[in-house]
Amino acid sequence: MDGDFRFCPRCATPLAWISQAEDGGDKLRLRCPACGWTHWNNPTPVLAGIVEYRGQVLLARNAAWTGRRFALITGFMEAGETPAEGVAREVKEETNLDAAATTLVGVYDFQRMNQVLIVYHVLTDPAGEVVLSPELAEYQLQAPEDVLCWPAGTGHALADWLRSRGIEPTFVDWAARG
């Protein structure tokens, strides 16, 4: 089943996979056979920040994650804010650091989570001090040339950012790490 939708939010009829003509041809989607409601299941926009703090890249480990994998600062966009405002807000909420500048790195798909990642380089005020939100368990600061990228979503964005700085990225080999 697609996501958590099993019943129509309008009439509570069980949803069914129904093919219907749309722009571009027939499309199979979860639909209500009683009232015609359609679950579009569009990807969710997620913001990510490649946080540069005092010349180093800040990577953090989410408190809910098992293992010791570190990643970019991410979060959902709020209504009424631009992506640049949203990533600056997320960085502030999760690390206590103020964004001095935000620059779009790119837009990336993350189909495993049905997300579209909007990734920014966030240059932070070097006078700030890192204070993690309860959402994050720990952080690391790494020189850009020492950062290992991962072969998915934000890892590809990090690799693109490194290339833009003249650094050829190195990708972590998950199979070799066990």
Side-chain angles (χ1 to χ4, degrees):
M1 190 72 56
D2 204 342
D4 292 333
F5 282 87
R6 288 183 256 170
F7 299 94
C8 176
R10 284 190 191 155
C11 69
T13 300
L15 296 176
W17 289 100
I18 298 172
S19 184
Q20 184 174 312
E22 296 179 5
D23 291 344
D26 281 358
K27 185 71 176 179
L28 185 65
R29 297 188 192 274
L30 279 176
R31 304 179 196 273
C32 178
C35 74
W37 181 86
T38 299
H39 174 50
W40 296 100
N41 196 34
N42 295 328
T44 303
V46 172
L47 305 170
I50 300 169
V51 177
E52 185 177 354
Y53 174 62
R54 297 179 181 167
Q56 296 187 298
V57 176
L58 185 148
L59 300 173
R61 184 174 68 80
N62 190 299
W65 295 349
T66 58
R68 294 212 55 234
R69 291 192 179 164
F70 291 78
L72 303 183
I73 300 299
T74 60
F76 296 106
M77 207 164 115
E78 298 285 341
E81 68 185 0
T82 67
E85 292 166 343
V87 76
R89 176 190 47 77
E90 283 292 338
V91 168
K92 179 68 173 179
E93 287 176 1
E94 295 185 17
T95 68
N96 191 50
L97 296 174
D98 291 312
T102 57
T103 307
L104 181 65
V105 173
V107 177
Y108 301 82
D109 72 320
F110 192 39
Q111 292 184 20
R112 182 169 56 86
M113 296 293 290
N114 194 27
Q115 296 174 342
V116 173
L117 305 170
I118 306 168
V119 183
Y120 284 83
H121 168 230
V122 180
L123 182 62
T124 60
D125 180 350
E129 292 297 326
V130 177
V131 178
L132 297 180
S133 77
E135 186 177 326
L136 301 177
E138 59 184 317
Y139 73 96
Q140 297 178 342
L141 294 173
Q142 297 181 8
E145 60 273 12
D146 295 335
V147 173
L148 290 178
C149 299
W150 44 95
T154 56
H156 294 299
L158 183 55
D160 286 347
W161 178 75
L162 289 169
R163 285 185 195 101
S164 77
R165 295 177 60 117
I167 300 168
E168 187 54 37
T170 302
F171 282 84
V172 67
D173 181 358
W174 295 124
R177 290 187 165 217

